[in-house]
Amino acid sequence: MTKQFALALATGLLPCMSTIAATSAVAIVAAQPAVAQQSTNSQSVRWIQVEAQPSLREAEASARRYAARLEGVNGFRIGGNWYAIVLGPYTPQAADVQLRNLKNAGLIPQDSFIAFSRQLRQQYWPIGESTLTAAPIETPEAPAPQPEVQTETAAPAPTQTTEPTVELIQEETKREALASERQLDRDARKALQVALKWEGYYTSSIDGAFGAGTRRSMAAWQGDYGYEPTGVLTTRQRTALLDNYQSVLDAVGMAAYEDLGAGLAMAIPAAMVEFDRYEAPFVHFKTKGDSGVKLVMISQTGDQNTLYGLYDILQTLEIVPTEGPRERGKNGFTIEGEDDKITSFTQVKLVDGTVKGFTLVWPKGDEKRRNLALGDMKASFASLGPQALADDAGLDAATQSLDLLSGLEIRTPDLSRSGFYVDGSGRILTTSEAVQSCARISINDEFEANVVAVEEDLGLALLEPATAQAPISFASFLTSEPRLKSDVAVAGFSYEGRLSAPSLTFGTLSELTGLNGEADLSRLTLAALPGDAGGPVLDAGGSVMGMLLPAGGTNGRSLPTDTSFAMDAAKVSEFLGDNGVTASTTDSVTSIDPVELNTKAADMTVLVSCWK
């Protein structure tokens, strides 16, 4: 594939990619910010990149092989977790000479090219060296000639007694560069704009017209790469610009992909992902090598309700981070997400009586390659008609899990505990354990809440919903002293949200103080689970006697499993009053029907989840 043809393909100048085979990528150079260690004259330094490997182990082995026959072998990590093997450093003219000489001698691959210091990151070879600041070589040594097969009677080769002649390549003048530029056809001119745009220098439309905007972008590129900023690229500069872009294009490996069963077609980064399996409604592509890229295609029969339901479901998945813009229309939606590890883009459309789309997940910090791939994917995505993935495609009941959705991991909170409404405006009391170091707090997985007050010594926390709430029921705290050995129940999400409603755990009131005589505590004979902490402790009439505390706080002693403790109603009411909540109270000690007790408990108890 020629550079011009590949670049035209990447910009949509060619209508079909199905017959195009990606060339193998031996190197990838992504323009990255200069590392801090580089010297101020790094823009006048050149390197010869001979190879790039996707893993450190392979790169070190390759560097050793080159070092056995060449001088000046160095290894640096470059963009996208690739590891380059380079020679140098050289001055610009010396690099051109050495590149040609080494190619002619067959000592380096023919697709080796000139690289720049700003593209190199951490050095891994030689171990412990730092050559980014080394002075560039002005006159490279001539490569050693390849050994020839000698017969017994052949005369010995004459000894080299004179220094090799170093041929310097002169850069074109601006007039000469303009003359050679005029020989370019429109597609070639567009290709240069595409490469400049990918590098981040050109922001206008791809039209092949070199106006003021294109000239400014060329001058900026020249300045950053150590050339005179004339605004007209010489032949050699055009080659360097296109080589950088082409190496990335080859490494991403965009290729046409069709799935007749799913009824969709699109270009995919075939060098980064490969087909894995079907799990309706998804077509899973797994990471190839250590690229870290993932792709999920979406295909199912449905209507607008299906579309809207999928919009909600996708946002519960780990591959769709919560931070990022979302846009939903009548016939489609897009979701962008980003965290400290990945960036995610989802595009779904209602078309041909089906819901089809894709989610692309890319490692953070590799935006240039991601943007190149994503632009092609969005432009090429197409439905092949009403055919969609069967509802049972690839599903295996033995592998399903509450934490998975068709093979994709559902985002889950770091910790979930119980809580309960304490007034009609929806404020919630819970355990302080539930709100420690949380980025956000959700209630019943439906709405978010903010922390109003925390009292670590008491183990209490007061929450306020981010949006107005009107709870069906809220706590009424018991003011009279409860009777020892009376029946009690704790309402809580014992299994931390795996059940959709709170459960009641029954026990007895064993003591009106803690084990060390703490007057604010009550000891219960009741086998609670961690998820129950923060839930209300109820008497037989549904009045709240206190809040269940987390297990622990016994100075390392192991207590019987049916031993639990509660902060009593008086202390809880005092905490609420100090923070602006007037607690409802009662002195009634009557009993109610167990069914009514369960209903009352369910209406006031909530699931409190901490997301970090």
Side-chain angles (χ1 to χ4, degrees):
M1 182 193 303
T2 66
K3 294 181 178 66
Q4 179 175 323
F5 185 72
L7 291 167
L9 172 64
T11 57
L13 299 175
L14 298 179
C16 178
M17 299 176 64
S18 59
T19 60
I20 298 171
T23 57
S24 61
V26 296
I28 176 169
V29 180
Q32 299 289 345
V35 293
Q37 305 98 297
Q38 287 181 253
S39 63
T40 57
N41 68 340
S42 63
Q43 292 183 348
S44 63
V45 172
R46 301 291 185 270
W47 306 78
I48 298 173
Q49 182 166 323
V50 297
E51 194 173 300
Q53 294 291 343
S55 74
L56 180 59
R57 181 181 59 81
E58 294 172 297
E60 288 177 336
S62 183
R64 279 192 291 270
R65 290 194 296 270
Y66 279 106
R69 64 179 189 272
L70 295 174
E71 296 293 331
V73 176
N74 295 280
F76 295 91
R77 188 174 71 85
I78 55 178
N81 292 323
W82 284 76
Y83 299 85
I85 296 92
V86 299
L87 308 177
Y90 303 103
T91 62
Q93 292 177 331
D96 289 329
V97 172
Q98 191 71 338
L99 177 65
R100 186 181 68 258
N101 290 342
L102 292 175
K103 283 185 178 180
N104 291 340
L107 295 175
I108 60 174
Q110 291 302 305
D111 52 5
S112 300
F113 58 91
I114 299 297
F116 304 87
S117 294
R118 68 194 299 270
Q119 299 164 320
L120 308 178
R121 298 182 179 177
Q122 293 88 356
Q123 184 166 2
Y124 67 86
W125 181 272
I127 298 173
E129 295 292 327
S130 178
T131 56
L132 277 176
T133 56
I137 299 170
E138 297 183 6
T139 305
E141 295 182 4
Q146 295 296 292
E148 297 181 0
V149 177
Q150 301 286 340
T151 63
E152 291 183 359
T153 59
T159 303
Q160 181 78 36
T161 59
T162 60
E163 291 293 323
T165 300
V166 177
E167 179 183 353
L168 299 180
I169 299 177
Q170 296 297 322
E171 189 67 89
E172 292 174 336
T173 65
K174 183 175 181 179
R175 178 176 294 181
E176 291 170 336
L178 280 169
S180 65
E181 182 184 86
R182 283 193 287 270
Q183 304 302 313
L184 301 176
D185 60 22
R186 190 181 182 202
D187 285 350
R189 296 164 76 90
K190 284 185 175 182
L192 288 170
Q193 288 178 324
V194 169
L196 285 167
K197 195 166 192 173
W198 177 79
E199 288 270 20
Y201 294 95
Y202 182 67
T203 58
S204 300
S205 59
I206 307 299
D207 55 12
F210 288 178
T214 304
R215 292 300 180 197
R216 283 194 297 271
S217 68
M218 287 180 175
W221 182 88
Q222 288 172 318
D224 285 351
Y225 280 81
Y227 300 111
E228 181 184 357
T230 64
V232 181
L233 299 180
T234 66
T235 300
R236 185 163 67 92
Q237 292 166 8
R238 293 195 297 267
T239 300
L241 173 64
L242 295 175
D243 278 350
N244 280 358
Y245 182 79
Q246 182 65 35
S247 65
V248 175
L249 194 67
D250 291 343
V252 173
M254 297 304 296
Y257 182 89
E258 289 187 357
D259 191 316
L260 298 180
L264 50 78
M266 64 185 299
I268 67 170
M272 303 289 188
V273 298
E274 59 186 340
F275 174 81
D276 185 18
R277 68 192 188 281
Y278 294 108
E279 280 192 62
F282 303 129
V283 184
H284 292 266
F285 290 77
K286 63 183 179 181
T287 296
K288 182 180 286 188
D290 62 353
S291 72
V293 178
K294 295 180 182 178
L295 172 63
V296 178
M297 293 182 181
I298 302 165
S299 174
Q300 65 180 134
T301 302
D303 54 17
Q304 190 180 76
N305 290 330
T306 310
L307 179 78
Y308 287 178
L310 185 64
Y311 176 78
D312 293 333
I313 290 172
L314 287 175
Q315 296 183 75
T316 69
L317 302 179
E318 284 285 357
I319 63 171
V320 183
T322 57
E323 296 298 322
R326 280 99 167 103
E327 183 176 344
R328 190 187 74 176
K330 293 189 296 184
N331 297 312
F333 62 80
T334 58
I335 303 173
E336 297 182 53
E338 180 177 339
D339 59 23
D340 60 342
K341 296 179 180 178
I342 64 170
T343 59
S344 170
F345 178 86
T346 300
Q347 172 182 291
V348 179
K349 298 180 180 179
L350 182 60
V351 58
D352 298 327
T354 63
V355 175
K356 294 175 180 174
F358 69 92
T359 297
L360 177 67
V361 181
W362 207 280
K364 189 77 175 293
D366 190 18
E367 279 69 26
K368 283 192 172 182
R369 290 199 299 171
R370 170 190 178 268
N371 292 341
L372 187 151
L374 183 58
D376 207 2
M377 294 171 71
K378 291 193 289 185
S380 62
F381 183 84
S383 170
L384 299 179
Q387 177 64 37
L389 205 61
D391 291 342
D392 60 350
L395 294 181
D396 182 357
T399 63
Q400 292 300 292
S401 165
L402 287 174
D403 295 327
L404 295 177
L405 173 67
S406 297
L408 295 175
E409 187 176 355
I410 298 172
R411 188 184 303 108
T412 56
D414 295 86
L415 179 142
S416 290
R417 295 293 183 258
S418 301
F420 57 99
Y421 291 115
V422 292
D423 67 4
S425 65
R427 284 180 282 193
I428 296 163
L429 182 72
T430 187
T431 170
S432 58
E433 178 187 50
V435 300
Q436 292 175 350
S437 304
C438 303
R440 66 185 183 95
I441 298 168
S442 66
I443 305 300
N444 290 339
D445 295 328
E446 296 175 359
F447 61 91
E448 295 188 3
N450 302 313
V451 178
V452 175
V454 177
E455 181 54 71
E456 293 286 356
D457 292 340
L458 301 178
L460 304 176
L462 179 64
L463 308 179
E464 185 171 53
T467 56
Q469 302 294 317
I472 298 174
S473 178
F474 55 87
S476 183
F477 290 93
L478 188 65
T479 57
S480 58
E481 187 172 283
R483 182 170 52 85
L484 283 175
K485 305 302 180 182
S486 62
D487 293 334
V488 297
V490 170
F493 286 83
S494 308
Y495 301 99
E496 302 184 42
R498 289 191 174 270
L499 299 180
S500 60
S503 56
L504 285 179
T505 303
F506 293 94
T508 59
L509 175 61
S510 298
E511 196 170 3
L512 294 175
T513 63
L515 291 176
N516 295 314
E518 299 91 339
D520 299 330
L521 299 182
S522 297
R523 180 169 64 85
L524 313 176
T525 301
L526 181 145
L529 295 176
D532 292 313
V537 179
L538 307 169
D539 69 4
S543 299
V544 176
M545 301 167 53
M547 187 200 78
L548 186 72
L549 295 172
T554 56
N555 297 321
R557 294 181 176 83
S558 178
L559 301 178
T561 57
D562 62 352
T563 300
S564 299
F565 297 91
M567 183 61 60
D568 70 19
K571 198 65 178 179
V572 169
S573 296
E574 180 183 336
F575 168 76
L576 294 175
D578 290 343
N579 292 285
V581 178
T582 302
S584 175
T585 59
T586 180
D587 59 2
S588 174
V589 291
T590 59
S591 297
I592 58 175
D593 182 87
V595 175
E596 184 180 352
L597 177 63
N598 189 74
T599 301
K600 188 173 184 179
D603 289 342
M604 76 169 71
T605 308
V606 299
L607 176 69
V608 179
S609 297
C610 173
W611 307 78
K612 297 185 178 180

